[in-house]
Structure formats: C-alpha cells, structure tokens
Amino acid sequence: MRTIIKILFAGAVIFLIWIGFQEASQYSQKEDLQRISETIEELSLKCYSIEGRYPKDVSYLKEYYGLLVNEEDYNILYHYEGDNLKPTIRVSKKVTHSE
C-alpha cells in the first residue's frame, strides 16, 4: 500500500512540475507578443513625432527606424488609417504544423 501511495505522490509531483512549465511557457509567449507590439507602437509614435505622420507600413519602420522582427515566427497586423491617425497594431504567433 505504501508503494502505491509513493508512486501516486511522485506522479502528482511530476504532473504539477509539467503544468508549471506549461504556464511559464505561455506567460513568456504572451510577454514576447506584448513587447513586440509595444516596440512597433513606440517606433510609429517616434516617426510621428519626427516626421509629423505615422508610417504607412512596418517595412518603413524596419528601413528607417531599425525595427527587427522575426517574421517567420510572428504575424504583424499594421492597419494604417492616415497620416495623423494612430495605426492599429496586432501581433500574433504563427502556428507551425509539425509532421
């Protein structure tokens, strides 16, 4: 009986550790998305303050303001609405299908 309890306890501990790693990974991914979004927003605001207009696309921020984003891993929605209107920015992680 004691052996079964020890095995169940060890299994529960391993399961809780695995859940902890999953939660940490999800938190890290969420932080990465927020950091990228904030960086794009800051650079577009910097462009607006220097040039008097928001950039029309993310490639402008890459070329003139040094934005570096791994586009193989992230989707960036940058919706330009006009020179003096703040763009809508959404960043998401690309879904990869492993075979």
Side-chain angles (χ1 to χ4, degrees), residues 9-71:
F9 181 73
V13 169
I14 291 170
F15 178 73
L16 290 174
I17 290 172
W18 180 73
I19 292 293
F21 279 121
Q22 293 294 340
E23 290 293 321
S25 175
Q26 288 177 356
Y27 178 78
S28 177
Q29 288 178 3
K30 194 180 294 185
E31 287 292 312
D32 287 345
L33 295 175
Q34 184 176 353
R35 193 173 15 258
I36 293 167
S37 180
E38 288 174 356
T39 300
I40 294 170
E41 189 173 324
E42 289 172 9
L43 289 176
S44 66
L45 186 59
K46 182 177 182 179
C47 177
Y48 180 76
S49 65
I50 292 171
E51 300 180 23
R53 62 180 179 82
Y54 284 103
K56 293 186 182 204
D57 53 27
V58 174
S59 63
Y60 189 86
L61 293 174
K62 289 178 184 177
E63 186 174 345
Y64 295 102
Y65 290 90
L67 176 65
L68 296 173
V69 178
N70 183 353
E71 291 190 43

Side-chain angles (χ1 to χ4, degrees), residues 2 7-8 10 15 20 30 32 35 52-53 56 58-59 66 68-69 71 73 75 77 79 81 89 94-95 98:
R2 283 186 151 169
I7 291 172
L8 289 174
F15 178 73
K30 194 180 294 185
D32 287 345
R35 193 173 15 258
R53 62 180 179 82
K56 293 186 182 204
V58 174
S59 63
L68 296 173
V69 178
E71 291 190 43
D73 292 336
N75 290 315
L77 168 72
H79 182 68
E81 297 183 33
I89 300 165
K94 285 186 178 177
V95 178
S98 57

